Amino acid sequence: MKRNLFIFSVFICLFSIQGFGQKASIASADKKYERYAYIDAIATYESVAESGYKDEKMFQKLGNAYYFNADLEKAAKWYAELFSMNKEQEPEYFYRYSQCLKTLGEYKEADKMLEQFNKKSGNDLRAKLFVSNKNYLEEIKENSGRFNVTDAGINSEFSDYGSSFIGNNLVFASARDTGGVSKKIFKWTNQSFTNLYSSEVKSDGSMSKPERFGNSINSKFHESTPIFTRDGLTMYFTRNNYLDGKKGKDDQRITLLKLYKASLIDGQWKNVTELPFNSDQYSVAHPALSKDDKTLYFASNMPGTKGQSDIFKVTIKEDGTYSSPENLGDIINTEGRETFPFISDDNELYFSSDGRPGLGGLDIYVSKIENDLSFKKVQNIGAPINGTHDDFSFMIDSESRNGFFSSNRVGGKGYDDIYKFTETRKLLCEQNLIGTITDKETDKIISDSKISLFDENFQFLKANISDNKGNYSFEVECGKKYYVRAEKIDFESNEGTFTIPKSNGKSILSLELEKRIKPIGQGTDLAKTLNIPVIYFDLDKSFIRNDASFELAKIVAVMKQYPKLKIDVRSHTDSRQTTQYNEVLSDRRAKSTRDWLIKNGIEASRLTAKGYGESQLINKCADGVDCSEAEHQANRRSEFVIISME
């Protein structure tokens, strides 16, 4: 008994020691985690977890450490452990787990997590985007298959990413260690800090051996994502908060990222200066330039950021100063990560995001920048560029449709790799809605008419003026419904509607305008002038119906306005029934119409009336010809022809 008690006591002691040791290990890992030393933190957390110890906070941090290190497969394992312990988690864990499940190809389970995320965080733009795009996989499938992708041929076993062109040289960031015996390690990834490298793109598309780019630029900390002005004399790039041998830190003693500028002087990059909207307290990174070099785009988590990082822009002024940073807004940014912007010569914004319905990790998206600097619909550029892992740092030559992007996808050579591609078909469907404005009566063109474009909800979009040939044109989005209104002084306005096809090309919507004040004279048919439709009679009847009375009142008003005006009332039928029957019926109807006008105050001497039956058809629909009801309707008409005005 005493022996058993002794063994039990030893067991309790050992268990207590083990528990104390696990807590000490977790505390140590927590400190590493808080310093963003994720690789070291992971090693400690996993050692404790594999011993059988379970802790909700530990699983959260273990999943996060892998998630922030872009290893979503392993993050999925620990988020699964987290949810098996407690399904009631903060909304963000539902979103992160869904991203990890996509990396594993488990889209149905990922969507279930997003459903829960939406319930817990309905005001989150990521949730709204998911709810409004539940068929996102079908849309991405439609956008896919437009690229031929191959390895760029410059990758190492380390991280290579973030490329840009200067002349024929591709400049990119790499963690490959070429710096001698000692190397400085970035604790986040346990790799060397990245420096800038350059590789010449040869005429056959092959690439030269990468060499360090700009010795005065590379430091002992991170340099990455350069962008160059059109003249090649100015470079913007990302670097850790380090300049002139001094390293800056935030309040948590973390060295963040900043944007820097350098000038090419006598073949050397000199005068490295940081941009004025940097701060020790937040990161600013990954610059991109507009085609005219007057707007600088970048990613940051500065105050005013909606998510983990947003895309901002500043105007580069003539004197070299900068405007205040402007957030690109909800059309582009979400509560997730928006990063790595690129502006093509076609004025398209490409960027990476994990806040939109995608294939997993960071996906690459594109939005056309309008002339007024607003953004069109954001679209996922599809596979094979986008996949289940992080895809980012996209750049394309708008003429050749060749380009590069970076990814940490399976099958790569290193941590991140650079891939080259050729685009075989453009994604952005380009359509022009065009038309001609003419006079309805004369068919003459109408120039200088105001043309307004409205969306399907009748919200005004933009306006145009018809040219000297009566033509107008609008750039519109494929697959959308639009309303067009034409207006001109002395004319009645007219509207038309058109649904744009889902293919590149031109759509035509021409409009006719009628004059408000129409000249009348001998031979004028007042039915056309006054827009009087067919005067309807009941079947085989000739008495005037109430709806016809409303139209005939217009004739009375004109005849009273012009007391000397005389009119011949003419009635016509279609070819159905016999010729004799139609003549008799139409004549009765013409005289019935004349009698109604007399009854309503018009002198009999000013009116004549005759029925013409089917003798004056205005189309092919004679006896025995197969015609539609609309074609027959055109022949059943009433005319009020002016025969004299004196």
Side-chain angles (χ1 to χ4, degrees):
M1 184 67 180
K2 290 182 179 179
R3 181 173 176 273
N4 289 340
L5 182 61
F6 174 76
I7 293 172
F8 182 72
S9 299
V10 170
F11 176 77
I12 291 294
C13 182
L14 290 174
F15 185 81
S16 299
I17 293 171
Q18 184 183 32
F20 178 79
Q22 288 169 337
K23 290 180 180 179
S25 296
I26 291 174
S28 173
D30 286 346
K31 290 181 180 179
K32 297 171 184 175
Y33 178 91
E34 291 165 3
R35 295 197 304 270
Y36 303 108
Y38 291 131
I39 298 298
D40 291 341
I42 284 170
T44 305
Y45 285 138
E46 284 194 328
S47 176
V48 173
E50 288 168 0
S51 71
Y53 183 77
K54 294 181 181 291
D55 179 80
E56 186 175 342
K57 294 293 184 183
M58 181 184 73
F59 287 149
Q60 287 177 346
K61 292 177 180 178
L62 189 46
N64 290 344
Y66 275 120
Y67 186 87
F68 297 142
N69 223 27
D71 193 341
L72 301 192
E73 293 103 324
K74 291 181 179 177
K77 172 184 175 181
W78 298 111
Y79 285 144
E81 290 282 357
L82 172 65
F83 278 95
S84 68
M85 279 194 74
N86 182 6
K87 289 183 169 53
E88 293 301 317
Q89 298 295 329
E90 292 295 319
E92 194 64 29
Y93 287 99
F94 286 89
Y95 192 84
R96 291 174 189 170
Y97 191 26
S98 74
Q99 291 292 93
C100 297
L101 289 169
K102 287 180 182 180
T103 297
L104 300 175
E106 298 178 13
Y107 288 100
K108 289 185 178 179
E109 291 301 315
D111 286 352
K112 289 179 182 178
M113 283 289 142
L114 286 173
E115 292 280 6
Q116 293 299 313
F117 174 70
N118 179 48
K119 290 179 182 178
K120 291 177 174 289
S121 184
N123 290 326
D124 193 298
L125 183 58
R126 293 171 295 175
K128 293 178 180 178
L129 287 170
F130 170 69
V131 170
S132 61
N133 294 277
K134 287 193 174 180
N135 63 337
Y136 68 94
L137 289 176
E138 295 177 15
E139 292 183 6
I140 293 174
K141 186 177 180 180
E142 289 183 6
N143 296 345
S144 297
R146 303 179 301 105
F147 299 92
N148 295 325
V149 175
T150 59
D151 185 284
I154 53 174
N155 294 306
S156 68
E157 61 183 297
F158 301 99
S159 184
D160 302 286
Y161 70 94
S163 50
S164 178
F165 270 114
I166 180 169
N168 293 326
N169 291 306
L170 186 75
V171 183
F172 62 97
S174 178
R176 66 190 70 194
D177 181 30
T178 60
V181 177
S182 64
K183 60 180 180 180
K184 196 168 183 64
I185 298 298
F186 180 41
K187 289 294 185 179
W188 187 309
T189 61
N190 264 16
Q191 292 195 45
S192 297
F193 281 82
T194 58
N195 284 157
L196 297 183
Y197 286 76
S198 175
S199 173
E200 181 186 1
V201 182
K202 299 179 181 178
S203 58
D204 61 358
S206 63
M207 311 206 42
S208 67
K209 181 180 178 181
E211 298 179 355
R212 278 183 176 255
F213 176 82
N215 291 330
S216 59
I217 297 297
N218 288 322
S219 70
K220 59 183 179 179
F221 294 104
H222 278 305
E223 281 81 31
S224 67
T225 54
I227 190 72
F228 301 88
T229 54
R230 297 277 163 170
D231 59 14
L233 299 179
T234 302
M235 171 176 62
Y236 297 91
F237 65 100
T238 307
R239 178 193 279 175
N240 278 118
N241 186 354
Y242 180 78
L243 184 64
D244 297 331
K246 297 178 181 179
K247 182 173 68 170
K249 297 181 179 180
D250 68 3
D251 292 341
Q252 305 300 316
R253 301 192 61 75
I254 304 298
T255 299
L256 302 176
L257 299 174
K258 288 186 174 183
L259 286 185
Y260 295 85
K261 174 184 175 182
S263 301
L264 187 63
I265 301 173
D266 297 329
Q268 298 292 321
W269 290 103
K270 298 180 180 180
N271 298 338
V272 176
T273 57
E274 70 167 276
L275 300 191
F277 45 86
N278 287 324
S279 171
D280 292 347
Q281 304 304 318
Y282 52 78
S283 285
V284 183
H286 313 318
L289 282 168
S290 60
K291 184 178 180 180
D292 60 8
D293 289 338
K294 293 181 179 179
T295 306
L296 181 70
Y297 296 80
F298 57 90
S300 179
N301 62 340
M302 64 174 54
T305 300
K306 185 177 185 67
Q308 298 168 45
S309 64
D310 283 2
I311 298 176
F312 292 78
K313 68 177 181 179
V314 294
T315 299
I316 304 173
K317 301 178 182 180
E318 293 294 332
D319 61 1
T321 60
Y322 303 86
S323 67
S324 298
E326 178 184 344
N327 190 300
L328 296 194
D330 288 353
I331 294 179
I332 302 299
N333 294 314
T334 71
E335 288 84 351
R337 292 180 294 168
E338 278 71 45
T339 185
F340 293 100
F342 171 78
I343 309 297
S344 72
D345 286 350
D346 294 331
N347 221 25
E348 298 163 344
L349 167 65
Y350 291 87
F351 64 98
S352 289
S353 173
D354 65 2
R356 297 175 172 274
L359 296 178
L362 289 170
D363 274 16
I364 298 168
Y365 297 83
V366 62
S367 174
K368 180 78 172 181
I369 305 175
E370 297 275 41
N371 291 334
D372 62 0
L373 303 183
S374 63
F375 295 95
K376 284 189 174 182
K377 176 184 176 182
V378 173
Q379 296 190 69
N380 186 302
I381 68 171
I385 285 192
N386 285 329
T388 57
H389 291 66
D390 283 343
D391 306 295
F392 56 99
S393 195
F394 179 98
M395 58 171 291
I396 188 171
D397 182 287
S398 295
E399 292 186 6
S400 68
R401 310 311 294 178
N402 295 324
F404 295 83
F405 74 101
S406 304
S407 178
N408 65 347
R409 62 189 55 193
V410 175
K413 190 173 182 179
Y415 185 78
D416 296 307
D417 291 294
I418 299 173
Y419 296 84
K420 60 183 179 181
F421 65 82
T422 298
E423 185 182 49
T424 58
R425 173 175 59 88
K426 291 192 71 174
L427 168 63
L428 294 178
C429 182
E430 297 178 344
Q431 268 274 354
N432 280 328
L433 181 59
I434 63 174
T436 304
I437 311 303
T438 57
D439 187 312
K440 185 175 182 178
E441 291 185 16
T442 65
D443 287 332
K444 292 183 179 179
I445 63 170
I446 300 177
S447 61
D448 298 322
S449 57
K450 179 182 177 182
I451 316 299
S452 301
L453 184 70
F454 301 84
D455 66 14
E456 60 184 349
N457 297 314
F458 297 100
Q459 295 295 312
F460 173 78
L461 298 175
K462 46 192 170 184
N464 206 336
I465 301 295
S466 61
D467 62 19
N468 58 5
K469 295 182 179 180
N471 297 324
Y472 75 90
S473 175
F474 290 113
E475 287 186 9
V476 291
E477 293 186 37
C478 297
K480 285 198 171 184
K481 183 178 181 181
Y482 292 93
Y483 292 90
V484 177
R485 178 186 297 157
E487 301 170 89
K488 174 80 173 180
I489 295 176
D490 296 332
F491 287 84
E492 298 286 349
S493 63
N494 191 17
E495 292 183 357
T497 180
F498 200 95
T499 299
I500 308 300
K502 293 182 178 180
S503 58
N504 290 317
K506 294 181 179 179
S507 299
I508 300 175
L509 177 61
S510 295
L511 295 173
E512 296 176 321
L513 300 183
E514 291 189 75
K515 288 182 178 177
R516 287 197 179 98
I517 302 174
K518 301 177 182 180
I520 58 175
Q522 190 171 337
T524 299
D525 179 5
L526 289 180
K528 292 181 179 179
T529 302
L530 301 175
N531 292 321
I532 296 176
V534 175
I535 300 299
Y536 286 104
F537 297 85
D538 289 332
L539 182 63
D540 293 331
K541 304 295 182 181
S542 58
F543 63 84
I544 302 299
R545 297 182 351 183
N546 289 335
D547 54 352
S549 298
F550 176 79
E551 301 297 339
L552 290 174
K554 298 177 183 177
I555 302 295
V556 172
V558 172
M559 296 191 75
K560 287 183 176 181
Q561 184 179 357
Y562 299 94
K564 295 183 179 182
L565 187 143
K566 295 181 180 180
I567 287 177
D568 182 29
V569 180
R570 303 172 183 178
S571 180
H572 303 268
T573 68
D574 60 37
S575 63
R576 293 177 290 190
Q577 290 288 355
T578 66
T579 301
Q580 183 179 4
Y581 177 88
N582 285 332
E583 285 179 359
V584 172
L585 179 63
S586 64
D587 197 60
R588 288 205 326 264
R589 288 177 171 176
K591 288 179 171 58
S592 179
T593 302
R594 175 180 176 273
D595 291 344
W596 189 95
L597 294 172
I598 293 171
K599 183 180 177 181
N600 284 273
I602 305 302
E603 297 90 338
S605 60
R606 299 173 62 194
L607 297 165
T608 58
K610 183 180 180 180
Y612 291 84
E614 59 182 274
S615 65
Q616 295 185 6
L617 301 176
I618 61 174
N619 54 31
K620 64 179 182 178
C621 299
D623 290 337
V625 178
D626 186 21
C627 289
S628 67
E629 182 59 36
E631 289 173 314
H632 283 305
Q633 177 69 63
N635 288 315
R636 297 196 302 272
R637 66 198 188 279
S638 299
E639 297 174 332
F640 302 86
V641 179
I642 298 174
I643 56 176
S644 174
M645 295 188 70
E646 295 181 359

